[in-house]
Amino acid sequence: YAAFGSGKDGPLVVDAGQTVVVDTVRSTVTGLNPAGTTTLSMALANGFSTNDLVLIVGTQDPNTNWSTNAAGIWEFGRIGAITGSVLRLTRPRTNAFDVMSTEKIQVVRVPEFTTVTINGTVTCSAWDGSAGGVLAFLCRTLALGSNGSVTADGKGVPMRRPLEERV
């Protein structure tokens, strides 16, 4: 991927008083998606298109074996084809994204803007228990006005107490 994206989504101008949500195309990952493969199964492919850049991210995993915990594991991929609810990426993935029971893994379309001018607010959808809370976009030029903001405040996965504090 080009360091700052392809620019295929053109410019984004967010005027004062305006709020733009950048993760409107997202889905939950389903099933077994082993490392080294190009396919990624998800609940719905609505809104995704060939050549879209996506971010695959492990959002929540109650597994206490940290060597296999999916939370925080992420990588970018480019969609080469879509068949039903399966994305075929242009390159094999480095990480496994396996959903076996309670793991929450999502795939989010990442807009690739030429320029972004922010005098209002850029944000993401709130975490809904399965997806959301991920604010990601690429741009070649960013102009942030004095009243502009890029924020995901209060949108992410609620923090849980550390295991040592649980009864």
Side-chain angles (χ1 to χ4, degrees):
Y1 322 106
F4 303 106
S6 68
K8 75 183 197 97
D9 294 303
L12 173 66
V13 176
V14 184
D15 293 322
Q18 183 182 15
T19 298
V20 173
V21 177
V22 294
D23 70 333
T24 58
V25 178
R26 65 186 188 284
S27 184
T28 55
V29 173
T30 61
L32 301 179
N33 300 279
T37 62
T38 59
T39 56
L40 185 73
S41 300
M42 55 188 188
L44 296 168
N46 299 352
F48 290 96
S49 299
T50 300
N51 203 35
D52 279 350
L53 181 66
V54 294
L55 174 63
I56 309 156
V57 59
T59 313
Q60 200 173 48
D61 188 346
N63 178 3
T64 58
N65 179 350
W66 304 122
S67 65
T68 60
N69 188 295
I73 302 297
W74 64 273
E75 69 183 88
F76 286 107
R78 175 105 29 217
I79 300 174
I82 303 171
T83 305
S85 60
V86 176
L87 302 181
R88 181 167 304 280
L89 305 175
T90 58
R91 290 190 252 184
R93 283 178 291 93
T94 302
N95 298 298
F97 290 99
D98 296 334
V99 179
M100 304 214 272
S101 59
T102 57
E103 301 88 357
K104 304 292 184 186
I105 300 172
Q106 61 183 306
V107 57
V108 180
R109 181 187 181 275
V110 179
E112 298 177 86
F113 301 113
T114 51
T115 60
V116 174
T117 304
I118 304 171
N119 292 302
T121 302
V122 173
T123 191
C124 60
S125 302
W127 171 253
D128 66 7
S130 297
V134 176
L135 197 165
F137 66 90
L138 296 179
C139 63
R140 296 179 185 164
T141 305
L142 173 65
L144 184 60
S146 60
N147 293 318
S149 69
V150 178
T151 180
D153 189 33
K155 305 278 185 159
V157 177
M159 294 299 294
R160 293 174 31 177
R161 293 186 330 198
L163 292 174
E164 298 79 30
E165 295 180 10
R166 293 187 197 161
V167 177

